[in-house]
Amino acid sequence: MNELNDTGSPAEGSQGHDIARHQPSRRSFLRTSLAASLATLGVTGAGSAFAELTSTDGATRLAADGSPRRTVIIDCDPGQDDAIAILFALGAHDQIDLKALTTVGGNVPLNLTERNARIVRDWADKTQTLPVYAGCPKPLMRELITAANVHGRSGLDGVTLHEPRGPLEKQHAVTYLIDTLRAAAPGSVTLVGIGPLTNIATALTAAPEGAKALREIVIMGGAWYQRGNITPAAEFNIYVDPEAASIVLGAGVPVTVVPRDVSVKAPITPERIVPLRALKNRCGPIVADIMAAEVAYQKGRIGVESAPMYDPCTVAYLIDPTMFGGRRVNVAVETTGLLTLGETVVDWNGRSKRPANAMWLTDVDADRFYDTLLARISRLP
Ligand code: BDR
Ligand code: CA
């Protein structure tokens, strides 16, 4: 996926990978810029007072949390692997009650991510029952950088796309998130963030009281033992909107991070695509085609027939956290570094004395992951 971004030419429709241009002129613009965005949405009184979580060291292998079904919203930028993640979640309907897709500018511009989300729900026959909301078209303080060089101009290279059969919701994704969290019972909603975190950060800043409704935010983003995929230091989702990532990690809600460290341990290979392609439903071959396009891309780039498995790992974590290992640590985002913008700085050894603010996943049982993916995709139309 964004393996290419570090060496590829600037993506179509993007501002290119000019790090200097991606810097804010002043850090204090963040609050001003965010307030302006919120005012546009008719949201006032934004604050940012979030409690820090207490530091504890977690077990290396995660335990099942025992709950039968999670209420989930996926905030996404489809995006090839986002599409697989959405289908994966829909195939796990016994465990995941997917309420909505909220979309953000990321892999491709917002007009395409919201369109692609509506196409993906059609594939799963969810046109009428899974609402799609469009959110922020660009990061909080920066111009949008896309990964269209990886995902294709449409954002969904590898598959034939139809005209979406259902409309986009009229409400802005951020106001949907705010309204939903305000109305939800404490600890009842899981947000899955698999694109730049602009929508989620904006919602949490505008309505910090909504944070109490969150059971967990699970994000795909960052890298520590593995390095970046858009710059040597940064992973794409965090790099595109580092201020948003910093806000989410500082929001005082339980955050689980699925970084590149995990994604590269569950690589997509031609062998792992075969059983998905053999499924007799519609969605199996679609997922296989997307995965094949991801592998082909990496083959063209570095001559290797495998690709990291990114966004779907977040859904696997919801379905069965016991297939992952990780530890609670402090994670901070570099928002000013000239060469390290968007780096996720993981305090693995407790040097900073900053309290833990996230569960950082490091390991995955890849065979269990692919067995789980196959089983859930096989349930779809
Ligand atoms: C992340 O970047 C995007 O291109 C993918 O969809 C994934 O969310 C991987 O770095
Ligand atoms: Ca994504």
Side-chain angles (χ1 to χ4, degrees):
M1 309 286 304
N2 302 113
E3 290 289 325
L4 184 66
N5 296 0
D6 50 358
T7 55
S9 54
E12 190 102 24
S14 81
Q15 301 300 310
H17 298 156
D18 180 337
I19 291 175
R21 196 143 33 107
H22 196 44
Q23 299 288 331
S25 52
R26 276 192 298 128
R27 192 168 162 71
S28 61
F29 275 11
L30 173 59
R31 193 169 294 274
T32 314
S33 152
L34 197 49
S37 307
L38 296 170
T40 310
L41 299 172
V43 177
T44 55
S48 59
F50 297 99
E52 288 282 353
L53 293 175
T54 307
S55 175
T56 52
D57 277 333
T60 54
R61 179 72 41 191
L62 303 189
D65 70 0
S67 63
R69 203 160 181 248
R70 283 188 189 236
T71 297
V72 173
I73 299 166
I74 297 182
D75 187 70
C76 54
D77 61 338
Q80 293 165 315
D81 56 330
D82 301 75
I84 298 172
I86 294 163
L87 293 174
F88 195 6
L90 288 171
H93 43 76
D94 53 335
Q95 288 164 284
I96 294 175
D97 182 10
L98 184 57
K99 294 294 189 192
L101 302 175
T102 53
T103 60
V104 66
N107 284 321
V108 285
L110 182 67
N111 66 314
L112 293 178
T113 60
E114 64 84 358
R115 181 175 192 274
N116 290 343
R118 290 185 289 134
I119 290 171
V120 174
R121 73 176 173 185
D122 291 345
W123 290 337
D125 288 345
K126 297 291 179 195
T127 312
Q128 306 302 330
T129 51
L130 182 63
V132 174
Y133 299 85
C136 300
K138 64 190 279 291
L140 296 178
M141 300 179 67
R142 303 166 191 275
E143 295 307 314
L144 178 65
I145 292 169
T146 72
N149 56 329
V150 180
H151 297 259
R153 290 185 65 169
S154 71
L156 287 177
D157 245 12
V159 277
T160 305
L161 302 180
H162 61 270
E163 204 48 45
R165 289 195 271 278
L168 182 67
E169 298 298 317
K170 291 195 169 47
Q171 192 178 18
H172 193 286
V174 171
T175 52
Y176 166 76
L177 288 171
I178 291 170
D179 290 354
T180 302
L181 294 180
R182 277 182 173 152
S188 63
V189 178
T190 297
L191 284 184
V192 176
I194 52 177
L197 293 168
T198 321
N199 288 340
I200 297 176
T202 306
L204 288 175
T205 304
E209 71 280 7
K212 69 178 182 314
L214 287 171
R215 171 172 165 179
E216 188 174 10
I217 301 176
V218 182
I219 66 173
M220 190 284 127
W224 185 239
Y225 287 103
Q226 287 293 322
R227 306 310 291 156
N229 59 357
I230 183 154
T231 72
E235 179 279 331
F236 178 80
N237 287 341
I238 307 297
Y239 180 75
V240 170
D241 199 342
E243 285 77 19
S246 187
I247 288 170
V248 171
L249 282 161
V253 295
V255 175
T256 295
V257 184
V258 182
R260 264 171 56 72
D261 305 0
V262 165
S263 299
V264 299
K265 291 182 178 173
I268 306 168
T269 61
E271 297 72 34
R272 285 173 166 157
I273 295 172
V274 171
L276 286 153
R277 188 173 300 293
L279 290 175
K280 298 289 178 236
N281 59 4
R282 179 194 312 138
C283 289
I286 287 175
V287 170
D289 285 346
I290 293 172
M291 285 168 52
E294 295 183 69
V295 170
Y297 180 79
Q298 292 297 343
K299 186 157 187 217
R301 186 179 82 90
I302 49 172
V304 171
E305 275 201 303
S306 80
M309 176 53 83
Y310 287 119
D311 296 344
C313 287
T314 58
V315 176
Y317 165 80
L318 299 186
I319 294 170
D320 183 3
T322 69
M323 74 173 92
F324 293 91
R327 199 207 288 174
R328 284 186 51 75
V329 289
N330 182 272
V331 183
V333 178
E334 177 57 76
T335 54
T336 57
L338 181 62
L339 299 174
T340 55
L341 182 70
E343 179 173 6
T344 40
V345 178
V346 176
D347 189 3
W348 200 253
N349 298 321
R351 303 254 183 230
S352 72
K353 309 289 183 227
R354 291 189 290 263
N357 59 352
M359 169 64 76
W360 183 269
L361 302 188
T362 52
D363 295 292
V364 58
D365 182 332
D367 289 339
R368 273 172 71 194
F369 171 88
Y370 282 96
D371 288 349
T372 306
L373 177 67
L374 181 67
R376 298 315 188 277
I377 298 298
S378 74
R379 295 174 176 174
L380 295 172

